[in-house]
Amino acid sequence: MNIVSQSLSSSAAPISRAHCLAMDAADTLASRRDLFALPQDVIYLDGNSLGAMPKAVPSRMTQAIEQEWAVGLIRSWNDADWYPAPQRVGGRIASLIGAKPNEVIVADSTSVNLFKLLVSALRMRAGRNVILGENGNFPTDAYVASGVAELTGAQHRAVAPADVMAALTEDVAVLTLTHVNYKSGQAYDMAAVTRRAHEVGALVIWDLAHTAGAMPCDLNGCEADFAVGCGYKYLNGGPGAPSFVFVAERHHESVRQPITGWHGHAKPFEFTQTYVPAPGIDRMLVGTAPQMGLFALEAALTAFDGVDMQALRAKSLALTELFIRLVDQELSEHGFGLATPREAGLRGSQVSLTHAEGYAIVQALIARGVIGDFRAPDILRFGFAALYLSHADVWDAIATLKDVMVSGIWRSAEFMARKAVT
Ligand SMILES: Cc1ncc(COP(=O)(O)O)c(C=O)c1O
Ligand SMILES: Nc1c(O)cccc1C(=O)C[C@H](N)C(=O)O
């Protein structure tokens, strides 16, 4: 336990803003906030959907556009090292998720990478035909699994998260789960689930969308097979940043992904008419990677340079615990429920509250500069990016939420009218 969480758990007295400021003073990650361009009047609790912008990004983009593209033109594929960017950025992400640099590559979207992995896994477990998933997962994961089932003749079986272990039977080819649930923020025990899946001969695909950059993750320590994740959430790569895909080294020669594009070819610039998969992780590539998105993500990842992921986890847990305790302390009369586990080891880096009027409350909060989001039917979702949030931010966010509730401002028509939400 670090000094931040220690000081919180040892306090029996009500928590005050001064207490939060003392936690900030002891926070070894506090200076990282300066690496992000956040508006002064905003408390940003939506980095689990779109991460804040690292200040390193604009200058990198300007260089890529005005020099490498405008002046270097096609020469930049070699001269500016554009070509190896998917591997290079993958190597950086590998260090955050417990993988080797040659096991991660960046390309395409999370949905597309999930498709590639699901088909690959089914091919590696010929004779079994079940894709096991979970109810309540982020929709794209379920949609892609159903689509793959329809395409391949496999069966997509989705069970409640609590029933996953029992549903691991010998007909399961592949288990696909999101490590930290997008709505509840609850995390699976990656090691235990992977071990059980392997005992029945199944492969596992972990979706790390709400894990990568939010908390440490030890893919190789858990003997994970495959993983995917988003570049634009806690990795702060910007809207539509490319996704990453992990394939454990032991599967590199057997994995055969279905979208056999030229960048996944062993010799793309020989332009042969027959597809031969590239050795290693490179075979997960399809076509030309979104280079501008890769450059933004690469620059964004420098915000993690030198960060001890255990320290990041300690701060993340201190922030989420502080938020939960302040909900108890300040908001007990306002009808909120807690959808996220109180037990630290069971949660990721978000806290979700429930309230029947959650939509309007979130809109009123956003209007006051506290940006969280709403997920139907009743979830108010708050993401805590430990690189750029302070303990005082948590206090101020709760004070604003209390003000929204006590004033009843959320009842006004402007907040009740439903719009498309992000
Ligand atoms: C668990 C999870 N998987 C996947 C995605 C998104 O996938 P894509 O990058 O294809 O939009 C999200 C969020 O959008 C998510 O929360
Ligand atoms: N990817 C998103 C987008 O393109 C637009 C709006 C929101 C998103 C998100 O990432 C949503 C997010 N995955 C969630 O957990 O709800």
Side-chain angles (χ1 to χ4, degrees):
M1 193 188 290
N2 80 353
I3 187 159
V4 176
S5 39
Q6 227 166 28
S7 69
L8 189 63
S9 57
S10 60
S11 85
I15 300 163
S16 64
R17 191 168 195 279
H19 192 142
C20 298
L21 289 171
M23 286 193 276
D24 285 338
D27 175 9
T28 55
L29 290 173
S31 63
R32 297 270 159 175
R33 186 190 185 98
D34 295 340
L35 300 176
F36 292 86
L38 282 160
Q40 284 294 331
D41 51 354
V42 161
I43 297 176
Y44 194 59
L45 304 180
D46 216 355
N48 49 335
S49 198
L50 175 68
M53 191 189 73
K55 289 178 186 166
V57 172
S59 56
R60 175 66 188 106
M61 297 314 284
T62 301
Q63 180 199 1
I65 292 167
E66 294 184 358
Q67 294 300 319
E68 297 173 12
W69 180 12
V71 180
L73 294 163
I74 190 81
R75 295 169 290 191
S76 288
W77 281 102
N78 291 313
D79 296 351
D81 275 338
W82 283 2
Y83 193 61
Q87 292 83 352
R88 200 169 62 232
V89 184
R92 271 190 175 272
I93 294 173
S95 67
L96 303 177
I97 57 176
K100 297 188 215 162
N102 66 334
E103 292 176 315
V104 181
I105 205 157
V106 179
D108 304 315
S109 67
T110 308
S111 307
V112 171
N113 283 326
L114 197 54
F115 175 85
K116 291 187 263 183
L117 289 181
L118 279 165
V119 174
S120 303
L122 285 170
R123 284 173 164 169
M124 289 165 68
R125 287 292 179 273
R128 295 176 175 227
N129 81 331
V130 173
I131 300 170
L132 182 62
E134 55 179 324
N135 293 327
N137 198 349
F138 188 74
T140 210
D141 295 60
Y143 301 159
V144 172
S146 299
V148 169
E150 201 178 316
L151 189 73
T152 59
Q155 185 199 341
H156 176 215
R157 198 181 281 166
V159 300
D163 297 334
V164 165
M165 291 297 227
L168 278 165
T169 47
E170 306 254 327
D171 53 353
V172 175
V174 53
L175 169 66
T176 174
L177 297 174
T178 294
H179 177 228
V180 175
N181 185 273
Y182 82 107
K183 260 192 189 172
S184 69
Q186 179 153 353
Y188 282 100
D189 180 339
M190 183 181 284
V193 174
T194 305
R195 196 177 320 117
R196 179 69 196 134
H198 288 172
E199 277 165 15
V200 299
L203 295 162
V204 187
I205 302 171
W206 288 104
D207 183 336
L208 303 181
H210 298 267
T211 306
M215 61 191 284
C217 166
D218 188 9
L219 286 173
N220 280 329
C222 297
E223 296 185 19
D225 301 293
F226 305 113
V228 293
C230 301
Y232 50 76
K233 295 178 188 287
Y234 293 95
L235 298 180
N236 311 305
S243 152
F244 64 88
V245 53
F246 159 87
V247 176
E249 197 169 36
R250 65 183 179 283
H251 295 316
H252 280 185
E253 293 318 309
S254 46
V255 77
R256 291 294 300 267
Q257 65 101 345
I259 316 180
T260 46
W262 73 298
H263 275 259
H265 192 282
K267 294 188 172 154
F269 289 95
E270 291 196 359
F271 305 104
T272 59
Q273 292 303 300
T274 312
Y275 183 81
V276 178
I281 193 71
D282 292 6
R283 66 180 57 186
M284 297 312 289
L285 293 178
V286 178
T288 312
Q291 293 292 321
M292 290 298 162
L294 272 164
F295 303 151
L297 177 56
E298 186 170 30
L301 287 166
T302 60
F304 286 92
D305 285 352
V307 170
D308 170 0
M309 291 304 282
Q310 299 304 329
L312 182 121
R313 175 65 168 162
K315 180 172 175 190
S316 151
L317 286 178
L319 292 170
T320 51
E321 186 185 341
L322 178 62
F323 188 85
I324 292 169
R325 286 182 57 177
L326 286 174
V327 169
D328 292 342
Q329 180 181 302
E330 303 290 319
L331 294 163
S332 61
E333 292 160 24
H334 296 286
F336 290 104
L338 181 65
T340 304
R342 278 181 192 272
E343 196 182 326
L346 295 181
R347 63 176 187 264
S349 199
Q350 77 181 57
V351 178
S352 298
L353 305 179
T354 57
H355 196 290
E357 300 296 342
Y359 177 82
I361 295 168
V362 166
Q363 302 318 305
L365 258 183
I366 294 172
R368 279 165 167 63
V370 177
I371 303 182
D373 63 26
F374 171 78
R375 288 291 175 264
D378 62 353
I379 300 271
L380 300 87
R381 208 170 62 141
F382 303 99
F384 294 86
L387 288 189
Y388 52 78
L389 286 169
S390 68
H391 303 80
D393 287 334
V394 175
W395 175 274
D396 294 342
I398 292 284
T400 307
L401 181 52
K402 188 172 179 180
D403 181 53
V404 161
M405 299 314 291
V406 171
S407 67
I409 187 73
W410 61 270
R411 292 178 197 276
S412 76
E414 87 181 276
F415 301 133
M416 300 288 279
R418 290 212 174 205
K419 301 185 201 88
V421 286
T422 53

